[in-house]
Amino acid sequence: MNQQMLVHMHVGEKIEKNNKKKRYRKNLSNINLWVYSKAVFMVAWERVMNMGEIDLVVYDGTVLTMDDNNTICNWIAVSQGKIIDLGDGEGYKKYLDYANEVLDLDGKTVLPGFYDSHVHLVQTGLNMLDVNLSNVKSINELLVLIEKKAQNMPPGKLIRGIGFDELRLEEQRMPTRYELDECAPNNPVWINRVEYHTSVVNSLALHQLSLPYNLEGIARDERNLPTGLLTGKAGALVRNQIFNTISDQTRLKAVNKALNKAVENGITTLNAMEGGFTFHDKDAEMIFNNKEVFPIDVVLFYQTVNIEKILNKNLSRIGGCIFLDGSFGSRTAALTEAYSDDSSTSGVLFFSQEDLNEFVLNAHTSHLQVTVHAIGTRAIEQILNAYEYAQSIYPREDHRHRIEHFELPLEEHIDRAARLGLILSMQPAYEYFWGNKNGMYETRLGPERSRRTNPLKKILERRITVVGGSDSDVTPMNPILGIHTAVNHPKVEYSVDVMQALKFYTINGAKAVFEEKQKGSIEVGKLGDLVVLDQNPLKVNKAHIKDIKVMATIKEGNILFMR
Amino acid sequence: MELARLEIYMLGNLKILLNGRPIIDKMSNKAIGILCYLAFHKGKPISRDKLASFFWDSGNIEAVRYNMRYNLWALRKTLMDGHDGHELIITQKDRCKLNMDGPDIYVDVFEMEDMLKAINQREEFNSLKQLERIKSIYRGDFLEGFYIKNCPEWNDWIFYERQRFQRKYFEVLCQLTSIYKNQGNYFKCIEVLEEMLRHNPLQEELYVELIKVYLELGDRKSALNQYKRCCSVLREELNVGPMDSTKKIYEEIVKCDKHHESYLQEKTQEHSYSNKVKIFYSQDKNVQGDIIQKRDRGNTLVFNTECYPIKVSYYWISSLIEEIVTSVSDEILEEIPQHYWMDLARLNLSVLDTLGLTAVGYEYLSPEVEKNRIFKAMVQVLNHLSSKLIIWIGIKNFHCIDETSIEFLKFALFNDKNSRLSLILTGEREDFRFQEMEKYFLIEMLDK
């Protein structure tokens, strides 16, 4: 059974595929006639005649095509995965007798299938299989969760706990090795902190790991024995060892779980940021080897600085979260001045300008599309310098280099990004979770700087292409939430209009991976990737956009999900 | 009655042999733990209560004592203790110990500790054989894979000793790299450094050492590869670049590539080639033995080789081997140790026929190590031949010689200080291969 079928089953397949004609017809009211020229009709009709049948006809909806003219129509016909006709009125009727599936939208809204332009897909999936510790409030709560998991796990199998943050605990500390031994004596346990780089293990895990004990980052007690807490190099080595032991089969299982979630949220294409630091190259390799079997399109961004590896795989892009700096949450995003809640640090830069210039130039001259993670002002400055350096030595048209996150730019940075023709891959939902009064942005950055985060409107005014992503599982794969936040930005002056926000997750997403000729809008000849929403985002009260529900997700004419 | 032999291997996966037969499966984990602990303490009496506290919750003293008695009994039964009239485990009222006097007992950690002690006492920490032995004894971490659940004290003891032995092992590896390097035994040095990297791939200093060793070998390409490997590991695991000092070495190697003042040239000066070696260039493609005969009458060996415009690695070396085995008498060839010929047979099987050797399954070697083995064997052959005769090697169309063979020539000319060797090169003098040679060696015009 292929993966596509698995997803069909999981999401509750409503319509059987191929050769079985099954039609859904509901209220055929409110049909406005769309006057077609004879020539256009004949071309479409000829296609139907030649191809023999139609995959899908959807009608009686509000189809926001997202084409250059923002055309709105009310029906679409899809054959052999591609849109062969669309219009407003009753033009769809001529296809009904040839259609395998017919979907009466009953006034619902159709958009091009969503793009999520920044997802850590394997990590998202694996985290779904792990014990989620992000909500625990005490050591005891944590131990209960681990114990529960251990009871359902075969002895010897590793228990991974994720999302742990001791600062949210009443005890304000990590659990000890001995505490974890007691709640899971038969299983190795590995608890990873929310920022990934610190972990704690129980004795069995410590025993099984091949640790060089002279490694920096092994915390010890007064007897010089490891406490189980691993930071720095030890944390990195152990994380790598643990992810190395995860089989491709488990990864695939995890990814399918994550993809089901994506499909339920209307996503038909996502950019998977995989491999490299914090992650594992096996993640990227698994995506590379399986991309044909996923139910939706997964565009791989291999997070490596090894250009040769990318070229050998015939990939056309490099990077993703190649971390130039860290994050605001962990106070590692590189600021020009110290953090407001910790004056001892202004974050870190992981690359020297020289090293970054060399990497970007080499990738640029190898005709790759390049993108890196840059959150803080200093990191943004660094990557802009590197792109300018590369372009000055080897000017390239239409490179579509990107910057991931771009959270705290200066105005000057926006101008430079515009001049360079960059695509900015941003996560509007960050503002939903962190951008409000007393939110994480304000706590870390103070009132002045936190007013400058994610300045979407300013960026659009410079005619820069912005694409929307979730950074899953930092925020959920939910484009509707991203659209809502972009429209309802906590800093009102940075809010964008609904149509602009929709573009972040449709046509702009396609442009950001050179796919605008095949996807991103609803036009004849493009793929039949569609999402059906219960309400029209252009009409609904903007404060309620987040409540819009995805009713169906259609990939190349196949209904993958229907509520 | 013959004494039983008990062997306990605690470094790496636990192995216990009684008269050569594994007995681990016949004992409970706790009985094994007791045996290991007694053995580790080398006949020192251990309090039974202390031993019991490792494995049983002290809440119920009677139950603990019963468990202890039962496991000691089971242990003795498995070890057939007393069958030969000697007691292996001596138990007293509140203590017990392993009897080290009578039975034949081998414990790997004793050997390692004894050897380290001997080296330290004699202040001869560079005692190569003993260090190599320690390296072979250490099959892995202390009691690797032997974990007993709900026994925190026991497991902590393992962690403590594991750290201690590992630290000593790493010290031994460090000593070995330093000795091998001083001896010029670079291949062994590389092996040990790779072993250290297997334990700790994040230790940048080890990559730097590898780079230096490859440069000593004149293998610039491998040195650069190690730098790239180091950068890639550090970036992917820690998201950092290499230290400035590491970058500097890299930059010097690259500069060398661009014919600037360089690390390698400095090395070249340090390792000047033998003044017994002469390199000549002749415009006459057909310059042959007659000229040579005029210069060195009598004890002269002449090998005429030719290069072709084909990109096959080792091509020229292979043809030289063929020349040697067909021109030199079997008696002289047989004086050269067989293992050198076996290495050369990797390139040219005619060696086996000529010397009547039998091909055996070749061990897999990385390309770098294989190359170094071949180079070294070839140098030994030339060295041996030149101890008897003056060698002239004609290389026709030198501008077509393959890259690996050029590397070999440099390797041979730097490493072989004793050979009385002359090369006559012909071909297109402007070619980069001539320039490459001229960077390091003087090429004289051949005086007819």
Side-chain angles (χ1 to χ4, degrees):
Chain A
M1 186 182 288
N2 66 29
Q3 299 308 316
Q4 191 156 319
M5 289 167 81
L6 278 174
V7 167
H8 277 231
M9 287 179 65
H10 181 82
V11 299
E13 191 179 17
K14 295 283 171 86
I15 297 171
E16 288 178 47
K17 285 293 303 157
N18 304 327
N19 305 324
K20 289 187 181 176
K21 295 182 181 178
K22 196 173 179 184
R23 296 169 195 173
Y24 290 77
R25 297 186 188 203
K26 292 180 189 168
N27 303 320
L28 290 176
S29 56
N30 300 325
I31 296 169
N32 296 317
L33 204 64
W34 177 270
V35 182
Y36 254 97
S37 78
K38 196 176 176 186
V40 172
F41 171 77
M42 288 311 290
V43 170
W45 189 247
E46 206 174 307
R47 279 194 191 122
V48 176
M49 292 295 105
N50 290 341
M51 291 183 275
E53 57 185 29
I54 299 290
D55 297 336
L56 174 71
V57 173
V58 295
Y59 67 97
D60 191 19
T62 303
V63 179
L64 307 178
T65 64
M66 306 304 293
D67 66 6
D68 289 342
N69 303 314
N70 294 335
T71 306
I72 297 176
C73 60
N74 75 350
W75 63 265
I76 308 162
V78 180
S79 177
Q80 297 201 341
K82 287 186 177 172
I83 297 166
I84 59 152
D85 203 356
L86 75 170
D88 203 3
E90 295 188 342
Y92 66 90
K93 284 187 174 173
K94 60 183 171 289
Y95 297 114
L96 293 179
D97 287 342
Y98 305 92
N100 288 329
E101 292 164 12
V102 176
L103 193 57
D104 180 351
L105 295 170
D106 195 18
K108 295 183 180 62
T109 299
V110 180
L111 276 162
F114 289 136
Y115 271 78
D116 187 329
S117 296
H118 191 118
V119 176
H120 299 290
L121 183 62
V122 180
Q123 206 62 54
T124 299
L126 287 173
N127 287 353
M128 288 165 116
L129 303 177
D130 295 343
V131 185
N132 183 356
L133 302 171
S134 56
N135 295 320
V136 296
K137 300 276 188 312
S138 67
I139 293 282
N140 193 46
E141 249 182 70
L142 177 147
L143 299 177
V144 168
L145 280 179
I146 298 292
E147 189 170 13
K148 218 182 226 174
K149 182 78 175 176
Q151 283 161 1
N152 298 315
M153 292 274 270
K157 196 143 196 259
L158 176 72
I159 295 172
R160 299 186 303 262
I162 51 111
F164 178 71
D165 185 356
E166 77 278 13
L167 300 176
R168 294 192 202 123
L169 265 53
E170 48 194 64
E171 295 91 344
Q172 299 268 304
R173 67 167 175 86
M174 300 288 277
T176 68
R177 165 160 74 88
Y178 304 108
E179 284 168 334
L180 295 174
D181 286 347
E182 279 185 27
C183 67
N186 299 313
N187 298 78
V189 178
W190 174 70
I191 307 279
N192 202 205
R193 248 198 123 254
V194 64
E195 96 299 352
Y196 293 136
H197 304 136
T198 300
S199 46
V200 62
V201 292
N202 70 350
S203 299
L204 181 52
L206 187 65
H207 188 95
Q208 289 176 349
L209 290 164
S210 306
L211 267 187
Y213 287 94
N214 58 356
L215 196 64
E216 170 263 313
I218 301 175
R220 288 185 168 81
D221 62 16
E222 64 287 354
R223 299 165 299 163
N224 202 31
L225 287 170
T227 61
L229 181 67
L230 305 163
T231 60
K233 286 186 179 178
L237 190 78
V238 165
R239 189 178 156 82
N240 188 291
Q241 277 190 26
I242 281 172
F243 279 88
N244 209 21
T245 60
I246 297 175
S247 68
D248 271 1
Q249 206 182 1
T250 304
R251 280 188 165 83
L252 197 56
K253 185 178 159 196
V255 163
N256 279 323
K257 213 166 171 163
L259 287 177
N260 279 335
K261 210 72 189 155
V263 168
E264 285 170 21
N265 284 290
I267 296 164
T268 52
T269 305
L270 56 78
N271 296 177
M273 311 293 179
E274 309 295 336
F277 176 64
T278 296
F279 307 96
H280 200 286
D281 279 2
K282 279 190 172 179
D283 299 348
E285 295 294 330
M286 195 282 288
I287 296 290
F288 180 77
N289 293 328
N290 291 283
K291 59 183 182 296
E292 302 303 332
V293 305
F294 298 134
I296 60 171
D297 293 337
V298 175
V299 181
L300 174 63
F301 280 72
Y302 205 132
Q303 302 174 143
T304 178
V305 291
N306 187 341
I307 293 163
E308 216 175 300
K309 179 153 66 178
I310 295 298
L311 295 176
N312 287 340
K313 289 184 179 299
N314 278 327
L315 292 170
S316 55
R317 53 184 59 88
I318 189 166
C321 272
I322 293 178
F323 293 96
L324 301 197
D325 63 348
S327 66
F328 291 133
S330 59
R331 298 186 195 86
T332 47
L335 303 174
T336 48
E337 284 165 26
Y339 277 85
S340 295
D341 58 348
D342 183 353
S343 59
S344 69
T345 180
S346 57
V348 282
L349 283 173
F350 295 116
F351 280 76
S352 67
Q353 186 68 57
E354 199 185 12
D355 286 352
L356 184 64
N357 284 359
E358 190 189 342
F359 160 66
V360 170
L361 178 64
N362 287 338
H364 176 80
T365 54
S366 302
H367 286 263
L368 294 172
Q369 182 189 18
V370 184
T371 188
V372 300
H373 159 124
I375 285 181
T377 310
R378 280 192 292 144
I380 291 169
E381 170 74 21
Q382 215 182 29
I383 185 59
L384 288 169
N385 288 342
Y387 283 142
E388 284 165 350
Y389 172 74
Q391 277 289 60
S392 72
I393 291 174
Y394 189 85
R396 251 179 78 188
E397 293 287 326
D398 201 23
H399 46 71
R400 304 199 198 182
H401 295 331
R402 305 172 24 162
I403 300 176
E404 305 299 314
H405 308 310
F406 201 72
E407 278 174 72
L408 192 62
L410 301 174
E411 292 219 17
E412 171 222 346
H413 290 154
I414 301 172
D415 290 336
R416 287 164 69 190
R419 278 198 296 276
L420 281 162
L422 298 181
I423 288 169
L424 300 178
S425 168
M426 300 177 69
Q427 291 67 42
Y430 284 168
E431 289 290 340
Y432 182 83
F433 293 103
W434 305 327
N436 291 306
K437 186 85 191 136
N438 299 323
M440 189 270 282
Y441 279 151
E442 194 174 323
T443 309
R444 295 282 187 270
L445 304 173
E448 192 276 320
R449 281 182 301 193
S450 66
R451 272 198 298 274
R452 294 196 281 111
T453 53
N454 302 300
L456 295 169
K457 178 86 170 182
K458 261 190 189 174
I459 292 168
L460 292 188
E461 282 167 2
R462 309 297 205 285
R463 297 178 172 276
I464 295 173
T465 300
V466 173
V467 295
S470 60
D471 195 13
S472 174
D473 61 352
V474 176
T475 75
M477 285 184 285
N478 182 353
I480 291 291
L481 183 65
I483 292 162
H484 170 89
T485 319
V487 173
N488 297 282
H489 198 300
K491 277 74 84 172
V492 180
E493 65 274 26
Y494 296 152
S495 296
V496 300
D497 68 43
V498 179
M499 190 52 95
Q500 286 169 328
L502 292 173
K503 285 184 177 176
F504 292 175
Y505 292 89
T506 54
I507 188 67
N508 289 6
K511 281 180 189 160
V513 283
F514 293 88
E515 288 183 345
E516 72 277 15
K517 286 188 179 138
Q518 297 88 44
K519 292 188 276 179
S521 61
I522 299 171
E523 292 179 77
V524 171
K526 287 196 172 183
L527 295 182
D529 291 0
L530 310 169
V531 55
V532 181
L533 306 177
D534 68 339
Q535 295 180 80
N536 183 345
L538 296 175
K539 298 256 172 80
V540 76
N541 179 334
K542 69 176 192 175
H544 298 304
I545 292 175
K546 67 177 167 49
D547 303 323
I548 294 174
K549 286 190 175 62
V550 170
M551 301 306 289
T553 305
I554 297 162
K555 175 73 188 136
E556 293 172 36
N558 303 320
I559 300 174
L560 299 184
F561 165 74
M562 189 179 278
R563 196 177 292 278
Chain B
M1 191 180 284
E2 199 177 323
L3 291 181
R5 177 168 168 78
L6 180 66
E7 294 162 74
I8 304 178
Y9 298 89
M10 299 193 212
L11 297 168
N13 277 320
L14 177 64
K15 219 163 55 167
I16 304 177
L17 307 177
L18 183 66
N19 295 325
R21 289 190 184 154
I23 55 167
I24 277 193
D25 292 346
K26 297 176 182 170
M27 295 185 280
S28 71
N29 269 354
K30 289 182 179 175
I32 295 169
I34 292 169
L35 177 61
C36 285
Y37 197 80
L38 292 176
F40 185 86
H41 287 85
K42 217 176 179 177
K44 189 180 154 200
I46 305 291
S47 146
R48 287 174 73 141
D49 285 346
K50 178 174 171 62
L51 210 46
S53 72
F54 269 152
F55 301 109
W56 293 282
D57 186 350
S58 57
N60 183 340
I61 292 171
E62 277 312 305
V64 171
R65 284 185 179 154
Y66 167 78
N67 280 325
M68 187 68 199
R69 270 198 308 275
Y70 175 80
N71 275 280
L72 278 172
W73 170 80
L75 193 55
R76 295 181 65 163
K77 189 167 178 273
T78 309
L79 295 173
M80 295 183 293
D81 203 5
H83 285 204
D84 55 5
H86 294 271
E87 282 197 317
L88 205 53
I89 295 173
I90 299 172
T91 54
Q92 293 158 345
K93 192 182 171 197
D94 56 351
R95 284 162 182 252
C96 55
K97 65 175 187 177
L98 200 67
N99 180 6
M100 301 299 291
D101 302 330
D104 182 9
I105 299 176
Y106 171 84
V107 184
D108 57 357
V109 292
F110 297 167
E111 190 185 354
M112 178 166 172
E113 300 224 81
D114 290 347
M115 226 168 262
L116 286 170
K117 207 179 286 173
I119 294 168
N120 282 337
Q121 275 171 359
R122 281 187 284 136
E123 292 180 349
E124 284 176 19
F125 204 63
N126 59 354
S127 170
L128 183 57
K129 274 191 177 169
Q130 281 161 315
L131 293 170
E132 283 175 335
R133 173 67 189 151
I134 292 172
K135 181 173 172 285
S136 70
I137 294 170
Y138 194 92
R139 295 173 302 119
D141 280 338
F142 181 72
L143 289 178
E144 203 172 283
F146 186 69
Y147 179 84
I148 309 180
K149 66 174 182 179
N150 298 325
C151 297
E153 276 188 60
W154 163 259
N155 292 318
D156 280 353
W157 174 70
I158 293 182
F159 289 133
Y160 182 83
E161 294 300 338
R162 184 177 284 187
Q163 292 184 83
R164 196 168 66 85
F165 280 106
Q166 198 191 63
R167 192 172 57 245
K168 288 180 176 178
Y169 175 63
F170 287 167
E171 280 168 12
V172 165
L173 293 184
C174 281
Q175 293 291 326
L176 278 172
T177 57
S178 149
I179 294 171
Y180 287 142
K181 202 172 163 192
N182 289 339
Q183 289 180 342
N185 196 345
Y186 300 123
F187 308 121
K188 287 261 189 192
C189 187
I190 290 167
E191 265 175 39
V192 178
L193 286 167
E194 288 289 355
E195 165 75 7
M196 293 170 86
L197 275 174
R198 258 194 299 281
H199 285 275
N200 185 0
L202 304 182
Q203 199 174 340
E204 187 175 345
E205 295 81 3
L206 297 175
Y207 296 99
V208 173
E209 270 310 299
L210 270 175
I211 291 169
K212 286 179 179 169
V213 173
Y214 278 114
L215 287 178
E216 291 288 349
L217 275 168
D219 188 347
R220 209 190 80 259
K221 202 172 160 189
S222 296
L224 286 173
N225 283 341
Q226 290 305 326
Y227 177 77
K228 284 184 193 162
R229 180 182 171 202
C230 171
C231 291
S232 162
V233 169
L234 294 179
R235 183 55 68 193
E236 280 172 19
E237 304 295 329
L238 304 171
N239 202 20
V240 295
M243 296 182 291
D244 284 348
S245 53
T246 313
K247 278 187 189 169
K248 209 171 162 202
I249 295 175
Y250 166 74
E251 281 158 13
E252 280 166 353
I253 306 169
V254 172
K255 266 191 212 163
C256 160
D257 215 19
K258 293 174 182 166
H259 299 201
H260 292 148
E261 279 184 20
S262 66
Y263 184 89
L264 190 56
Q265 278 173 327
E266 283 165 25
K267 286 277 142 202
T268 307
Q269 283 154 13
E270 278 172 30
H271 297 272
S272 60
Y273 63 100
S274 163
N275 55 14
K276 292 176 188 167
V277 173
K278 297 280 180 202
I279 307 174
F280 299 99
Y281 171 74
S282 171
Q283 288 177 322
D284 178 3
K285 282 189 177 180
N286 298 315
V287 60
Q288 290 296 338
D290 58 330
I291 294 169
I292 296 161
Q293 292 299 330
K294 281 183 202 167
R295 291 178 156 262
D296 295 298
R297 294 174 198 285
N299 292 339
T300 309
L301 261 175
V302 182
F303 304 121
N304 285 311
T305 60
E306 189 165 355
C307 305
Y308 301 97
I310 47 174
K311 286 184 174 176
V312 177
S313 290
Y314 294 103
Y315 179 84
W316 176 78
I317 303 176
S318 177
S319 63
L320 178 62
I321 295 169
E322 194 136 349
E323 268 288 299
I324 292 171
V325 295
T326 52
S327 332
V328 179
S329 71
D330 288 353
E331 292 75 38
I332 295 180
L333 296 179
E334 281 164 7
E335 288 167 9
I336 299 167
Q338 270 192 16
H339 62 92
Y340 291 127
W341 290 119
M342 294 306 288
D343 282 341
L344 294 180
R346 286 172 185 269
L347 281 189
N348 194 323
L349 289 171
S350 65
V351 168
L352 299 175
D353 290 340
T354 309
L355 290 153
L357 302 173
T358 314
V360 285
Y362 277 110
E363 61 184 314
Y364 171 77
L365 301 173
S366 69
E368 284 79 16
V369 173
E370 184 174 56
K371 183 162 77 181
N372 286 314
R373 287 263 288 264
I374 290 167
F375 283 12
K376 195 154 189 177
M378 198 65 206
V379 166
Q380 290 300 325
V381 169
L382 290 175
N383 199 1
H384 184 78
L385 297 180
S386 77
S387 68
K388 304 195 173 285
L389 302 156
I390 298 165
I391 301 175
W392 281 81
I393 303 175
I395 310 178
K396 197 170 168 182
N397 295 328
F398 185 75
H399 62 276
C400 295
I401 194 168
D402 62 278
E403 204 176 319
T404 315
S405 298
I406 286 212
E407 274 185 61
F408 165 71
L409 277 172
K410 289 193 282 183
F411 178 87
L413 298 175
F414 282 132
N415 281 279
D416 184 0
K417 306 272 192 247
N418 304 316
S419 295
R420 288 170 296 165
L421 177 68
S422 298
L423 304 177
I424 303 178
L425 315 181
T426 70
E428 294 165 16
R429 185 70 196 264
E430 295 73 32
D431 187 84
F432 74 90
R433 294 168 184 85
F434 280 98
Q435 290 169 11
E436 178 68 12
M437 291 297 279
E438 278 180 316
K439 272 199 300 188
Y440 311 108
F441 312 107
L442 178 69
I443 303 182
E444 300 171 49
M445 284 299 288
L446 187 64
D447 173 14
K448 287 193 177 181

